[in-house]
Amino acid sequence: MARSGPVDRASDRWASIVLSVLLHGAIVAAIAYSWWTYKSDRPAPTLAIEASVVDAKSVPGIGKLPPQPEPAPPPPVVPPPEPPPETQPQVEPDGPPQPTPEELAKREQEQKEQAAKEAQAKQQEDDQKRADQEKQQEAALAEEKAAQEKRDEEKRLADEQAKKAQEKADADRKARETADAKKKADEKRLADEKQKVDQQAAADREADLRRSLDQELRQDAARSSGALASWQSQITARIQRAWLRPASARSGIECVLNVTQVPGGEVTNVRIGTCNGDQAVRESIEAAVYRASPLPPPPDPSLFERSLVITFRPD
C-alpha cells in the first residue's frame, strides 16, 4: 500500500489536469464557433435613396451644354484590399500541455525517486516477509522442539513410573515370598516348639505321675508305719501349747481347723470349721495356730501336705 500511494496521486493529478483542459477547450471552441457563425451570416448594410428621373432638355439653362472635355481615362481600378482573414480563436489542443524540459527532468527525477522508494519499500517488504518467514520457521522449530522435549519428558516419566512400578512389584513379590518363607519357618518353628513342649509336657506328666505314684506309695508306707499320725500329733501338741485359754472356754471343746502351710511349716491361712466354742474360743484357737508357726516338719518329706485338717481337743 505504501508503494502504490504516490503513483495513484500522480495519476489523479494528471487526470484532473486533462479533464480541466478539455473542459476549457470545449468552452473556448463553443464561443469561437458562435462568434464566427454570427460574423459570416450577417448581410452588408445598404443605404436607401429617394429620387426621380428628369430629362435634361426640360431643365432651363441646360439646353446647350458647353463642350465637355474628353474624359480622362479612368484610373486603373485598384482592387480593394482583401479583408484580412478572420482570425479564428486559437483553440487549445486537447490533452495536457506539453511539459517543459525542466518539468520532464523533474518528473523523471521524481519517477526515479519514486521507483527507488518503491524498490526500497519492496525490498523492505521482502526483507520483512523473509524475517517473518524466518520467525515463523524459528517459532515452528521451537514449537516442534518443545513438543519433542515434552514427548521425551513424558516418555521418561512414563519409563520411570513403569520402572518404579516394576521395582515395587518385584519388591512386593520378594516381600511376600520372604513373608511366606518366614511364616512357614515360624509355623515350622512353632510346630517344632509345640512338639517339644508337648513332648516335654508328656514327659513331665509321666514324671509327675511317677512321682505321685512314688509319693503315694511312700505315704501309704508312712501311714501304715504311724509316721503320719505321729506328725499330726506333734502339730496338735504345738498348737495346744500356744493356746491361751479364754475365761469363757468350758471343758469338752472340740474344733476342726483347716490350716494352710508352705514348705518349711509356715502357716499362711487358718479357717475354723465346726466348733462348739464361742467367738472368744474361736479367735483364741486361730491365734494359737499362727503362734505355733512354723509347724514341725513331717518325719518323711513325702508326708508333707499344704492343706491340713486338724481336730483340736484341748481337754
Side-chain angles (χ1 to χ4, degrees):
M1 295 300 292
R3 181 178 58 190
S4 61
V7 177
D8 293 342
R9 288 195 296 272
S11 61
D12 293 342
R13 182 169 60 83
W14 281 108
S16 300
I17 293 173
V18 169
L19 291 175
S20 177
V21 171
L22 290 175
L23 180 60
H24 285 80
I27 293 172
V28 171
I31 294 172
Y33 179 75
S34 299
W35 179 80
W36 180 77
T37 304
Y38 173 77
K39 181 89 175 164
S40 61
D41 292 343
R42 183 180 177 183
T46 57
L47 297 176
I49 302 174
E50 294 182 1
S52 61
V53 179
V54 178
D55 189 4
K57 294 178 176 180
S58 61
V59 178
I62 308 181
K64 293 182 180 180
L65 291 176
Q68 294 295 328
E70 292 292 333
V77 178
V78 178
E82 295 180 0
E86 295 180 0
T87 60
Q88 299 292 334
Q90 186 177 359
V91 180
E92 294 182 0
D94 295 340
Q98 294 295 326
T100 62
E102 290 79 4
E103 291 178 347
L104 291 174
K106 184 178 180 181
R107 189 181 303 169
E108 184 178 359
Q109 183 64 27
E110 291 178 352
Q111 290 178 353
K112 289 182 179 179
E113 292 177 356
Q114 184 64 29
K117 290 181 180 180
E118 292 177 357
Q120 184 178 2
K122 187 176 184 303
Q123 182 65 33
Q124 291 178 355
E125 184 178 359
D126 294 340
D127 293 341
Q128 185 64 34
K129 286 182 179 179
R130 283 195 298 271
D132 293 340
Q133 290 178 356
E134 290 177 357
K135 287 182 180 179
Q136 291 177 358
Q137 291 177 356
E138 290 176 357
L141 291 175
E143 185 177 358
E144 179 62 25
K145 182 179 179 182
Q148 184 63 39
E149 290 178 353
K150 183 179 180 181
R151 289 193 294 270
D152 294 341
E153 182 66 16
E154 291 176 352
K155 184 177 182 301
R156 184 183 64 80
L157 292 176
D159 293 340
E160 288 183 357
Q161 291 178 355
K163 183 179 179 181
K164 289 181 179 179
Q166 185 63 37
E167 290 177 353
K168 185 177 183 301
D170 294 340
D172 293 342
R173 179 177 54 79
K174 290 180 179 179
R176 287 194 301 270
E177 292 177 354
T178 303
D180 293 340
K182 185 176 182 299
K183 182 179 179 181
K184 291 179 179 179
D186 292 340
E187 290 176 353
K188 186 176 183 302
R189 178 179 56 80
L190 291 175
D192 294 341
E193 290 179 355
K194 184 176 183 300
Q195 185 179 2
K196 290 180 180 180
V197 169
D198 292 342
Q199 291 175 355
Q200 184 65 37
D204 292 341
R205 286 194 299 272
E206 185 177 357
D208 290 341
L209 181 59
R210 290 176 180 176
R211 284 194 298 272
S212 297
L213 291 174
D214 293 341
Q215 184 176 3
E216 288 179 359
L217 292 174
R218 287 196 299 272
Q219 287 178 352
D220 291 341
R223 288 189 182 94
S224 62
S225 63
L228 179 60
S230 175
W231 178 48
Q232 290 179 348
S233 297
Q234 292 177 3
I235 294 174
T236 302
R238 178 170 292 190
I239 293 173
Q240 287 179 357
R241 288 192 299 270
W243 182 51
L244 299 177
R245 190 182 187 94
S248 60
R250 65 179 185 275
S251 61
I253 294 175
E254 183 177 351
C255 296
V256 178
L257 308 180
N258 297 301
V259 180
T260 303
Q261 66 173 344
V262 295
E266 184 178 358
V267 177
T268 58
N269 187 29
V270 178
R271 184 172 59 82
I272 305 298
T274 58
C275 182
N276 57 4
D278 58 7
Q279 184 65 28
V281 172
R282 288 171 175 272
E283 292 178 354
S284 64
I285 294 172
E286 182 178 352
V289 175
Y290 281 112
R291 282 194 298 271
S293 179
L295 300 177
D300 188 348
S302 63
L303 295 175
F304 179 80
E305 293 181 359
R306 289 180 177 273
S307 297
L308 300 175
V309 179
I310 300 173
T311 303
F312 182 74
R313 297 185 186 89
D315 298 333

